[in-house]
Amino acid sequence: AGAGGGAVCLLCRRKFGSAEQLAKHEQQSEMHRQKVEEAKRAQISEIKKDVHKAAVIQEKKVDKLLRRQDYSQQAKEEREAHKALKEAEEAARLGIDLKKAKDGPDANNKGTMMMKMMGWTDGSGLGSTGQGVTSHVSVVHREERAGIGCGEVTKEEDMILPSDDYKTRVIKKASSRYDKEEDPTAWRQSFSQGD
């Protein structure tokens, strides 16, 4: 029912004098039936568009996820290849055969044959009771141009804590340096003489 006492068919955009005339229009009018069918088709079309849009969005998400997984796998392979290349470059620089280094001592190696003749077995340590080191000698990185006291162990009372204030830190540093010097006056004298 409209505001002025009449009834309105919003679908057909027509105004009727009463609700009975509107009901008659809805039941008998061919134009109204066509408009209802058009509205249903439009509604179905909108639903199909929404479903298609959701499917496309989902497909894009899946594609993006697959691309991300492919990228992660590709990046992992590239990192491994880069690592292998760096190891090969370092081995070439040091003159090491990587295959021999990974396989362990060669059975036909003169040194290995001599050690086996003396009773050594694969995987045991050197020495009369086999107490020696079983793995290769590890490389220790040398810090070039490191400052005085580098690598020395600091006493627990001289350790600087994050909660220490500035004054406490300075006192601990000075105490640590003083304890490390055997004779500070001798060091100062040698420094002033240019030794």
Side-chain angles (χ1 to χ4, degrees):
V8 177
C9 176
L10 297 175
L11 198 57
C12 298
R13 294 188 178 155
R14 290 184 66 189
K15 186 175 180 182
F16 297 95
S18 66
E20 292 87 28
Q21 287 178 339
L22 175 63
K24 184 178 176 184
H25 163 76
E26 288 174 347
Q27 291 172 359
Q28 296 177 358
S29 173
E30 185 63 33
M31 182 177 81
H32 183 76
R33 271 184 243 147
Q34 288 174 356
K35 294 282 184 176
V36 168
E37 288 297 319
E38 285 175 17
K40 284 181 182 177
R41 280 195 297 270
Q43 191 176 15
I44 290 170
S45 176
E46 282 296 316
I47 291 171
K48 284 181 179 179
K49 283 180 186 177
D50 290 343
V51 167
H52 178 70
K53 195 178 205 180
V56 167
I57 290 171
Q58 185 66 25
E59 188 176 314
K60 284 182 180 179
K61 284 181 181 178
V62 168
D63 187 45
K64 186 177 181 180
L65 182 65
L66 290 174
R67 274 189 278 131
R68 186 179 296 151
Q69 288 173 347
D70 289 344
Y71 175 76
S72 297
Q73 182 63 30
Q74 182 182 1
K76 182 180 178 185
E77 290 169 2
E78 287 177 4
R79 283 191 304 271
E80 289 171 356
H82 183 70
K83 182 180 175 186
L85 180 66
K86 284 289 187 188
E87 286 176 356
E89 286 175 355
E90 185 67 14
R93 186 179 71 78
L94 297 172
I96 298 171
D97 184 2
L98 281 179
K99 185 179 182 324
K100 285 183 180 178
K102 287 181 182 177
D103 293 343
D106 185 15
N108 298 329
N109 184 330
K110 293 243 184 219
T112 306
M113 290 179 5
M114 284 176 56
M115 290 191 311
K116 283 187 178 182
M117 286 183 355
M118 293 181 210
W120 176 78
T121 56
D122 242 353
S124 66
L126 296 177
S128 58
T129 59
Q131 78 279 8
V133 178
T134 58
S135 63
H136 66 281
V137 177
S138 61
V139 177
V140 177
H141 181 69
R142 180 175 161 266
E143 291 289 333
E144 289 193 32
R145 302 181 61 97
I148 296 173
C150 179
E152 293 183 18
V153 179
T154 306
K155 289 192 280 183
E156 194 171 333
E157 62 265 7
D158 291 337
M159 289 184 76
I160 297 172
L161 305 173
S163 60
D164 291 341
D165 62 343
Y166 177 76
K167 185 177 179 181
T168 307
R169 288 179 185 192
V170 170
I171 291 170
K172 284 183 177 182
K173 283 181 184 178
S175 173
S176 176
R177 280 194 302 264
Y178 181 77
D179 291 342
K180 288 177 187 172
E181 293 178 6
E182 294 172 11
D183 184 6
T185 55
W187 180 81
R188 286 190 196 101
Q189 286 175 352
S190 69
F191 183 78
S192 63
Q193 292 171 358
D195 290 338

